[in-house]
Amino acid sequence: MKESDTLFENLFRKVAFQDDEQAFKELFLEFYPALCVFAMRYTIQQETARDIVQDVFFKIWKNRKNIDISASFRNFLITSVRNNCTDYLRKQEVENRYMENNTWSAIHTSPEEVYTLKELETSIGEALAKLPPNVREAFEMSRFKGMTYVAIADKMAVSPKTIEAYISQALKTLRIELRDYLSFLLLFL
């Protein structure tokens, strides 16, 4: 172990066991600039890199009594910064995907379409209510629960051919009941 590593280990022990703020400040001043450069390899943005490194030091101070460093303090810091960078990038990716999806929805869904979708939802509910109970049950299991005809037949204790007939009957009824919405539905399908 290098002499400088021993110095850093001793400083960290002072931080952990004696709540020594001066020792913590020395560690911060020693490692902060290099860790910011290291974090920029991942984040590209200087401000983000600084925030990540500051967050690592904040967590170290906050959890100083519970941190168990098995390798060197330097390795612990590097690993902590790399993990925080990875977490940040993963979070950014999720946020970007969310924004893309919401932007697409906002661009492509007008208030009229939202109203029409609500109206369609109500009409589908009313059309399903007009179906005989066994036909409606088979249709809902097929379309809403994704069950196969065989699975539905087993559950309803009928043959798969009967389920096929039920689904055909349901689709025929829905086509008639929802004919005003067919052109609208084709836009979304």
Side-chain angles (χ1 to χ4, degrees), residues 105 108-121 184 188:
S105 296
H108 298 296
T109 308
S110 69
E112 294 82 16
E113 288 171 334
V114 170
Y115 176 76
T116 306
L117 283 172
K118 292 286 184 199
E119 197 177 302
L120 175 61
E121 220 174 80
F184 180 75
F188 286 96

Side-chain angles (χ1 to χ4, degrees), residues 133-177:
N134 54 349
V135 173
R136 183 178 66 244
E137 184 181 4
F139 180 80
E140 288 175 347
M141 283 192 269
S142 170
R143 295 307 196 259
F144 301 145
K145 295 181 182 173
M147 293 174 67
T148 64
Y149 287 7
V150 173
I152 298 167
D154 286 344
K155 186 164 182 157
M156 294 180 72
V158 295
S159 75
K161 283 287 186 195
T162 303
I163 298 303
E164 194 176 316
Y166 286 169
I167 301 297
S168 292
Q169 182 183 349
L171 290 172
K172 182 179 178 185
T173 303
L174 289 172
R175 263 188 231 105
I176 292 167
E177 292 294 321

